[in-house]
Amino acid sequence: MKHESHRTAWGKTWSILLCGAVLLSVTACSAENAETREVVEKAGRTITVLDNTSESVYTKLQLAGIQKVEGVRGTDFASEDVMAVTKENRSLPAQVIEGQERYPLNLYLHTLSTGEETPLQAGELNYGAPQLSPDKTHVFFKELYDVTGLGYIMDLAGGAPVKVSDAEFRIEEGKWADNAHVIFPDMEGNILSADVSGKRETILKTGIPYVHEVVQTGSRILYVTGEDSQLSAYDTVTKQTKLLRKNVIWAVPSPDGSRLAIVERTGRGEMTLKLCDSEGNEQSELTSGQQIFGTSWSPDGKLLAYAVTAAGSTDDQQDLFITEVETGEQTPVLNDFHLADPLHWSPSGKKLLATATVLKDNIYHFLTYVVSLS
């Protein structure tokens, strides 16, 4: 899709982003079941701090509180107090899409303690999916078109964004491989890498049209292909590819690469989250449900956060849990909500970012939760 057609695709992009269907197939609104403890106004935005009403008081893991920020889609931490977000830019003219006014989606850095926001990438086009590099010096984001987009990397210290590819790829794909490179699959089954200067390299030609869930851990690149959802590992040193498991929805490597959190389809309407070693050998089964979303390791690899839709659920609502990996102790954190993006931990591992969609005045909005651990 060409740039000049972005206005035509704007309505589709908005609908996809608001429903969270691109990555997590979220289709409904969330229910507010927790009691509010304090509501404050910061920089014109309402922030609600919620009481810890979960059962975590019966586990070793304790919650210090949950901050709720309305109207922004938080996707990553830039620091302990700053998150990268997508939100409407209401300083620009709106378009009328399906009878409703829509503003361009732009990128900002949102300070949690003050509510202040600094533009990262603004303009009439739609931008989203910002991810900070591990060292928090660069941001990787997408220029959005329908279900695809163009990838860019920008230095937070200044300078213009550099394009990582001339061709669009699926907007749910693309991750940082290290501090200087992002890795992503194109629409032809190739896995590519681009550095912070925009230099590109084709890492692997799989010969399979649809390659997804691409992530790098150490010298290995993990990816999923085929109707039987094969999880493969390509070693960039030996140039060898190894089949690890089948029926894999996605695999998330631990920070040190020694373990994989793997979500498998284990039956009709059933998924299971399994803890495996680096070769895909099962070590334990953590949970199962109709759907499992957002799996994310804490920076020290000791905790695993995820959202589960219970088996037999008819409304697709999820419950958010944090599990202590070594003991298997599971702590419920949020219930009856709709996750819109993968979960993200702060650099210290003391905060967890979860963005949901909610229905308000018959319009879907984003709602970001920041869970703080004591």
Side-chain angles (χ1 to χ4, degrees), residues 135-278:
D135 62 4
K136 308 300 181 183
T137 62
H138 292 78
V139 61
F140 170 53
F141 65 92
K142 315 281 179 35
E143 185 178 299
L144 307 171
Y145 305 104
D146 202 357
V147 298
T148 62
L150 292 172
Y152 290 85
I153 295 175
M154 183 169 63
D155 190 335
L156 293 181
V162 296
K163 191 182 295 184
V164 304
S165 174
D166 291 324
E168 299 170 26
F169 56 94
R170 288 173 293 276
I171 62 176
E172 71 271 23
E173 294 292 343
K175 294 180 177 65
W176 286 97
D178 53 37
N179 288 328
H181 298 83
V182 295
I183 189 168
F184 58 95
D186 64 15
M187 304 295 283
E188 299 176 352
N190 303 311
I191 297 177
L192 300 93
S193 173
D195 66 16
V196 294
S197 70
K199 183 181 178 180
R200 310 160 199 172
E201 178 185 3
T202 298
I203 303 297
L204 177 64
K205 296 182 178 181
T206 68
I208 304 172
Y210 182 39
V211 177
H212 54 107
E213 314 308 327
V214 176
V215 60
Q216 184 162 345
T217 172
S219 64
R220 299 198 311 167
I221 298 172
L222 306 179
Y223 60 96
V224 177
T225 56
E227 294 182 359
D228 54 357
S229 299
Q230 297 183 18
L231 173 64
S232 297
Y234 172 73
D235 193 308
T236 58
V237 176
T238 65
K239 311 300 181 184
Q240 298 297 310
T241 299
K242 180 180 180 180
L243 173 63
L244 301 185
R245 296 182 74 93
K246 295 183 179 181
N247 300 314
V248 174
I249 305 303
W250 49 68
V252 184
S254 62
D256 66 1
S258 65
R259 289 175 168 176
L260 300 175
I262 294 179
V263 175
E264 286 188 356
R265 188 177 303 281
T266 50
R268 185 174 182 181
E270 181 182 30
M271 294 184 186
T272 301
L273 175 60
K274 299 179 178 181
L275 189 63
C276 302
D277 65 17
S278 61

Side-chain angles (χ1 to χ4, degrees), residues 22 50 60 78-79 114 123 133 135 139 157 177 188 241 249 266 275 285 311 325 337 345 348 362:
V22 173
L50 305 179
K60 295 179 182 178
S79 69
T114 64
S133 58
D135 62 4
V139 61
E188 299 176 352
T241 299
I249 305 303
T266 50
L275 189 63
E285 183 176 309
V325 175
F337 80 122
W345 293 88
S348 72
N362 295 319

Side-chain angles (χ1 to χ4, degrees), residues 253-256 295-305 322-323 325 344-352 373:
S254 62
D256 66 1
T295 314
S296 180
W297 293 86
S298 61
D300 61 8
K302 295 180 178 180
L303 302 174
L304 196 62
I322 298 175
T323 288
V325 175
H344 277 275
W345 293 88
S346 68
S348 72
K350 292 294 186 180
K351 294 181 180 179
L352 181 66
L373 306 183

